[in-house]
């Protein structure tokens, strides 16, 4: 069965620090999809990234970067030079299929607090 | 693109009444919509999956007669909490996806906070 583990529950950093959010997944499928979502205090889940299992290239988007390593079943998320607006709950998720009906398995989420 | 709305954002109702929550995909046709429930400081729990024109598929342990889901069009799904009780108080979130390769990511609505008195 698929599983997503976000071992860190709460992280607190001071503004401008770099922070890495860990995500470890379990799946028996060779094709799967990984996601990160951000949930700010307002409640809406904001899609950040989707990564296919056959694409191990790391991705950078502004201050955000993602490190996908199949060898360790990890898909870690790094925020560089964190800002107060980055304060939110971050969820990592896994899907074992593609298509509109694909269900997501979520981790428990990591609460990130960025202090001024 | 990929904007999903929910209405209402907050609702307070008396025990025993029914509450309807709407989920709309504003700029795309959603083949599938999902309904989640989230308790404070917890992850999302999938309640059901609905496809346009079909009966919803409920997750184990979710009462389908309690949580009525209708997906009448490619842009609208509704969740009705029937005979609501205080234990139904929660944050309900919908998501929508389309059946197009590489565009089948779930995009989420802003959520509805239900309080049952």
């Amino acid at each position: 069965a698929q599983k997503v583990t976000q071992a860190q529950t709460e992280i607190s950093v001071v503004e401008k620090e770099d922070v890495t959010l860990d995500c470890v997944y379990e799946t028996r499928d060779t094709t799967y999809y990984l996601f990160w979502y951000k949930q700010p205090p307002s409640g809406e889940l904001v899609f950040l990234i989707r990564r296919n299992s056959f694409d191990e290239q790391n991705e950078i988007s502004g201050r955000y970067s993602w490190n996908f390593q199949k060898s360790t079943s990890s898909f870690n998320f790094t925020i560089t030079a964190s800002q107060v607006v980055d304060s939110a709950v971050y969820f990592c998720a896994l899907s074992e299929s593609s298509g509109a009906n694909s269900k997501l398995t979520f981790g428990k989420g990591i609460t990130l607090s960025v202090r001024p | 693109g990929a904007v999903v709305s929910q209405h209402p954002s907050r609702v307070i109702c008396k025990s025993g009444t029914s509450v309807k929550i709407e989920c709309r995909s504003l700029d795309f046709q959603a083949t599938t919509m999902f309904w989640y429930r989230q308790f404070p400081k917890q992850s999302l729990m999938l309640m059901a999956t609905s496809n346009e024109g079909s009966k919803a598929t409920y997750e184990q342990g979710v009462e389908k007669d309690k949580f009525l889901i209708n997906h009448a069009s490619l842009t609208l799904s509704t969740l009705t909490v029937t005979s609501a009780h205080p234990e139904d108080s929660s944050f309900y979130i919908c998501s929508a996806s389309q059946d197009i390769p590489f565009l089948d990511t779930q995009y989420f609505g802003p959520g509805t906070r239900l309080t049952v008195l």
Side-chain angles (χ1 to χ4, degrees):
Chain A
Q2 56 189 1
K3 184 179 178 182
V4 175
T5 301
Q6 295 181 264
Q8 305 151 309
T9 53
E10 295 185 16
I11 300 175
S12 182
V13 299
V14 176
E15 206 169 19
K16 297 184 183 178
E17 284 186 15
D18 298 348
V19 58
T20 295
L21 311 181
D22 298 334
C23 174
V24 173
Y25 61 92
E26 294 177 30
T27 177
R28 294 179 181 175
D29 284 9
T30 55
T31 300
Y32 51 90
Y33 306 84
L34 296 163
F35 304 80
W36 276 94
Y37 288 89
K38 172 183 179 180
Q39 186 177 36
S42 60
E44 178 177 3
L45 262 78
V46 177
F47 166 73
L48 296 178
I49 191 171
R50 165 185 170 141
R51 176 61 70 210
N52 303 328
S53 57
F54 46 85
D55 181 3
E56 286 193 74
Q57 280 194 343
N58 292 326
E59 176 133 352
I60 298 175
S61 177
R63 296 184 296 108
Y64 295 171
S65 62
W66 290 269
N67 184 355
F68 176 30
Q69 292 200 339
K70 289 178 77 170
S71 61
T72 56
S73 297
S74 65
F75 186 42
N76 296 338
F77 173 30
T78 297
I79 301 175
T80 303
S82 60
Q83 300 176 1
V84 173
V85 293
D86 295 327
S87 297
V89 181
Y90 291 86
F91 291 97
C92 180
L94 165 72
S95 176
E96 291 181 332
S97 61
S98 62
N101 276 311
S102 304
K103 295 182 184 180
L104 293 173
T105 297
F106 283 91
K108 292 187 175 181
I110 302 170
T111 300
L112 174 64
S113 298
V114 182
R115 310 188 305 276
Chain B
V3 179
V4 178
S5 70
Q6 268 183 255
H7 178 80
S9 57
R10 290 178 178 271
V11 57
I12 300 173
C13 69
K14 293 183 179 179
S15 187
T17 61
S18 294
V19 173
K20 180 184 284 189
I21 302 170
E22 291 187 351
C23 177
R24 293 181 184 272
S25 57
L26 298 185
D27 53 0
F28 66 101
Q29 294 190 321
T31 312
T32 306
M33 287 186 171
F34 302 82
W35 287 95
Y36 294 84
R37 183 173 181 177
Q38 186 180 31
F39 291 103
K41 297 189 182 297
Q42 293 191 23
S43 190
L44 285 79
M45 181 190 81
L46 178 65
M47 299 175 65
T49 304
S50 73
N51 291 298
E52 183 259 342
S54 303
K55 288 185 178 180
T57 301
Y58 291 81
E59 295 298 301
Q60 192 172 9
V62 177
E63 300 174 61
K64 59 182 178 182
D65 295 330
K66 172 85 174 164
F67 299 99
L68 301 179
I69 293 172
N70 183 277
H71 192 160
S73 76
L74 284 172
T75 59
L76 173 64
S77 177
T78 60
L79 167 67
T80 301
V81 183
T82 62
S83 187
H85 291 286
E87 57 266 29
D88 299 323
S89 297
S90 192
F91 191 59
Y92 293 89
I93 312 175
C94 73
S95 69
S97 64
Q98 48 190 330
D99 206 11
I100 299 174
F102 305 107
L103 296 179
D104 49 0
T105 296
Q106 287 187 37
Y107 293 94
F108 286 80
T112 297
R113 190 162 303 282
L114 170 64
T115 302
V116 184
L117 303 177

